[in-house]
Amino acid sequence: MTAAAQLPAADRTTALVASVEDLKVHFETKAGVLHAVDGVSFDIADGETVGLVGETGCGKSVTARSFLRLIPTPPGKYAGGSIKFWSKEARANGSDPVDLLSVPTSDILDIRGNRIAMIFQDPGKALNPALAIREQVAEVFYQHRSDDLLAEWNGNPPSVIRRAAGQRSGKLEWVAMKFPPLRSQARRLRKRVDDLVGEALAETQIPNPRKIMASYPHELSGGMKQRVMIAQALACNPDLLIADEPTTALDVTIQARILELIRELQHAHQTSVLYISHDLSLVRRICDRIAVMYAGRIAEIGTTNEIFHEPRHPYTRGLLAAVPSFAHERGKLAAIEGNVPELISPPASCRFHTRCEYATEICRRIDPVLDGHGIGRSVACHGYVSPEELGVAAADIPRLDRSPA
Amino acid sequence: MTAVRDEPLAPEPGVDSAPVITVRGVRKYFPIREGVLQKVVGHVRAVDGVSFEIPRGETLGLVGESGCGKTTLGRCIAGLTDATDGGIYFRLAESDRLFLDEMDAVPEAERTLQHQARIEAIDLAHRIDRMKGDSWRSYRRNCQFVFQDAFSSLNPRQLVKDIVGRPLKVYKEASGPELTDRVVDLLQSVGMGRQHLYRYPHEFSGGQRQRISIARALALEPEFIVLDEPTSALDVSVQSQILNLLHELQQERGLTYLFITHDLGVVRLMSDDIVVMYLGEVMERATASELFAAPRHPYTEALLAANPDLLEGDEEAEMRGLEGTVPDPARPPQGCRFHTRCPAAIPQCGWEVDDAVAWLADNSTTLDELSGVERASEFDAAVRFRDSDAAAEAKALLEGPEVSAPMQGALLALSASGAELRIQFTEVDPVELEDVGEGHLTSCILHTSRSTHL
Amino acid sequence: MVDSTAPGTTLAPAVSGPLAVRLRRAGELSREVLRNPTTFLGLIIIVGLITMAALAPVLTEPNTPDAYQMPRDWGAINEPPGTPGHIFGTTSTGGDVFYGVVWGARTSLRMSMIVVGFTVVFGTAMGSIAGFVGGRVDEIIMRIVDVLLAIPELIFALAIAAVLGPSFANIIFALSVVFWVKYARIIRGQIIHVKQNDYVDSARVVGDSKFNIYRKDVLPNSVTPVVVQATLDMGGIVLVGATLSFIGLAEAGLAEWGVLVSEGQAGISSGRWWASTIPGAMVFLWALAFNLLGDGLRDVLDPRTGGR
Ligand SMILES: Nc1ncnc2c1ncn2[C@@H]1O[C@H](COP(=O)(O)OP(=O)(O)OP(=O)(O)O)[C@@H](O)[C@H]1O
Ligand SMILES: Nc1ncnc2c1ncn2[C@@H]1O[C@H](COP(=O)(O)OP(=O)(O)O)[C@@H](O)[C@H]1O
Ligand code: SF4
Ligand code: SF4
Ligand SMILES: [Mg+2]
Ligand SMILES: [Mg+2]
């Protein structure tokens, strides 16, 4: 566990990287408005890894993509809430966060890949098949770190080279750089890019980075491609890395390696990570805190320890019990019967009530709220609320066995 | 539940004890074609000499990384693909199997006429690619398949009733209202119902589609079902529903399963015996409890380490993975196929010229100067460079401290002459599966009889 | 996928029969197609044109003995549109342009239905054999298709029609020879793709016959692009057919739009625009309408653009 998980409340705002508040994302569909994400709130502290788990279709990817405004609109719509983001500078000089949902598009483009990076489930689709690996990783340096490219330049680099480092060269300049006296300088720039790309790849423990740089995506295995994606994502030293099921398409043996790598690099770079997965045993390995999502809502948040050893929400308990393990007898696996409910005009009720063994009448009538959402522990279930607060009889409160399942 | 019917194909007396499926030395090679003329330039050895039996009413788990040949083997067993070599037998009696094993040792020319006649008789009655007419139809009914991808295994233009009722129609078992009733029975046995009859597959979730697939597989009351990763596309909560259902059905109907998966948690829960495959070969085979308690193969250990149990062990436990990737199945490694990635490898594991070349490619730039390789065998080759410096450098590197000790230990000779570097490794025979006690088979030479010669 | 019909819940609607389900689906699909205004426009035009073709004997007095021959009124040549009895005017040979437009719609409909009908059936059959049987057979069929495809449609049809001599029947024949290859190619590609689906293998496991697998699994999942192409060709064939008639490969005097355009073109320079422009506009309208409908169908049906 890193220290971030137990941050004292007073430090909360200063140490945050991002804070999602009441995020709502809706989709226009033929059948009606689909509430894919419906009031999600959680924080990510500096240097912390937060896991987001839940069944297919519960809104994990939509939440993640909202950070970078990657939801296609239409049919999608940011229907409410905010995602506050503190960059390193903002944290250093105590200035206000930006709201990722409302900043101008040009700012979001600058934040993407630079301050917030994302790796996806299918590395094959995220890489351009027509470009060599070198070009794809170099792209990040050109786009966001052109100053670094010129950092070790002795003397003042000519403006042509400055523009080349930012990929802003005109046609004429390209031609000019093929001839002396600019040629040697252009070569130096290229060598510098090569060095940085090589370093970034080497950091992901790819064997022989120089050879990989010259290859094309189809020549690499899935695990290698995912390493390239990670190199690309971490090249700019982002404040936040969003990993959306980065190992789902990989074999278990490779998956373990990639997970280890993400963990190491995260420690080395002090990057915060939002790690999305449907696999509980994976998030347990890598996350400080875990948010369990169900049907567009957060069901429960807590430290990894709390979630695994003292799960409170019936859904969390069900998920944990359903993982086949040494403790089970054949045919006696605990299952959560039924399916995820319809997300089109969801009624005011606990979304889990159709599958919850503890559900009572009030669960069908009143929508439970997540009791606070800071760095602490919270759960959205009536079983943990006093009858006075809800204004119902004590007998109506779901009686959960409060000790861990 | 389905109405009780006469067992359509009552097994012959004495067959009850015979394994439902016997796989003997099955190979499946896919040709690799190249160029305009589509010339065959090599073969992908998807399955390369696999043998096992599945006793009646039991579940055999088949695990391994992707691409190691699990699905291909499953398809061969289900008769969807013809095996290149070896035989798959249905209800092969113990005595017949022993006879066939005996005959394998006898060269074809030395077999007597009686021997040949008996082999022929066994093949016609039990070997699935030799069966004709009724016995083939009987096998077709008794062996069903559940596919991994519940989305592509249901015809999107057919209603659930037509999908589940199709096998009954094909064998003219029912029609009209009776067919509808039978289909409703089947749907109910997988936890669905009459209200789902007239819907299209796209109206269902992944878990429900998998239930429909299972209902279809049950329609002909088969003895044996190949389950190809039936839950790997599903969420844990739904996965446990399906796994419980499969177990229940097995109990009720005495089904025999071949359960293919890459998830060790699932395979341990579901199987009686487990076969671990790597690059088309069986690495290890044992009962489920034995395999998990005392794995005897580094590959099995690696799979276990990469799949730490969720509820036991502490969080910070290392989740070890494996370096490198699965080698090209068209050119599998010599000796033990796992040696390129094995953390426990020793010099006797089958190191070869390709390993040295691959190491140079990953750790240096000397191969940029490569001009050709001339092989005397997999273990002995002359590597030619464009200049003698590169050859010398490669030699120095291979002798250097960075090369893994087992590989260096296997190096017999390394001699540079001009621009040519001759690399010679100790020749090693392919490893063989051996019983290391109580039916626990492993191919790792650290545990087999070869270990005494190490 | 979310679904309210989980096992154990009873939210499912009352049982409905297979026919009702199929009709409902067809209804949904057609509503989806028609939601696009341009598709709807295309359909309206097509319905109008077909109605006109159907009502031809009512709208005009059929010529005897052959209604498809233009009647000639030598007393009224080069009358402008609006003349009583000749609302679209007449040609330089006294042909009523309105008669030509109305009966030309029939000719066009006949031509496109015969050609599309034949080419779809024959092309699908050849493509199916190639794709489903594979191997040698596939190679032979596809070589023929490749050769035929290498020749531009219009030139190929023109060559055949020219060799056979000027007659409308020959034009239909020529078009049929030319257009089937497209369908063969489309359906073969689809079948090779569809064959790889697990549902084809699951039908094999169940033991169904090859023909049943083709009929139930492979063909129904392969035909949508053919439907789209056939709709587009209903328009395209009239365009090519009219071109062939225009250059004189049909019998003179036939009530056919291309023939009319060809007859009337001489008058354009002297200001008699109607005799060729009105039938020309009909050709354009016909081709446009089927293109609009075809595009709309493609958007909804073709899996590659996201529909079902
Ligand atoms: N472009 C879109 N148009 C319509 N609905 C969408 C779109 N993208 C997502 N959705 C819906 O939003 C919901 C949440 O989707 P999301 O992809 O976030 O799920 P997930 O938890 O990531 O699932 P998985 O594990 O399958 O990736 C789903 O019901 C999904 O169908
Ligand atoms: N039809 C085919 N043609 C060529 N190679 C194939 C074919 N089917 C499978 N293979 C190859 O056979 C090997 C084993 O495949 P498969 O049995 O599908 O693996 P698994 O199910 O274990 O993931 C792979 O290398 C795969 O690429
Ligand atoms: S609120 Fe009620 S239905 Fe929802 S999880 Fe808690 S007990 Fe179950
Ligand atoms: S024989 Fe055993 S030790 Fe040697 S490579 Fe194979 S698994 Fe590893
Ligand atoms: Mg997702
Ligand atoms: Mg597989």
Side-chain angles (χ1 to χ4, degrees), chain A residues 203-260:
Chain A
E203 223 185 344
T204 64
Q205 296 157 16
I206 282 187
N208 207 350
R210 293 279 157 174
K211 192 177 120 204
I212 300 292
M213 277 165 69
S215 13
Y216 286 83
H218 70 92
E219 300 169 36
L220 306 182
S221 68
M224 292 283 218
K225 278 187 266 195
Q226 202 54 282
R227 281 171 203 252
V228 171
M229 290 291 302
I230 293 171
Q232 219 176 20
L234 293 180
C236 287
N237 234 328
D239 300 311
L240 176 62
L241 173 68
I242 300 176
D244 190 356
E245 311 218 14
T247 62
T248 306
L250 306 176
D251 268 316
V252 278
T253 51
I254 313 284
Q255 163 174 297
R257 284 275 157 195
I258 297 286
L259 220 56
E260 204 65 16

Side-chain angles (χ1 to χ4, degrees), chain A residues 56-57 59-62 65 121 244-245 276:
Chain A
T56 300
K60 305 182 296 290
S61 303
V62 172
R65 286 168 169 265
Q121 174 169 346
D244 190 356
E245 311 218 14
I276 294 164

Side-chain angles (χ1 to χ4, degrees), chain B residues 70-71 148 228-229 260:
Chain B
K70 307 182 297 293
T71 303
Q148 167 175 7
D228 185 8
E229 312 217 15
I260 299 174

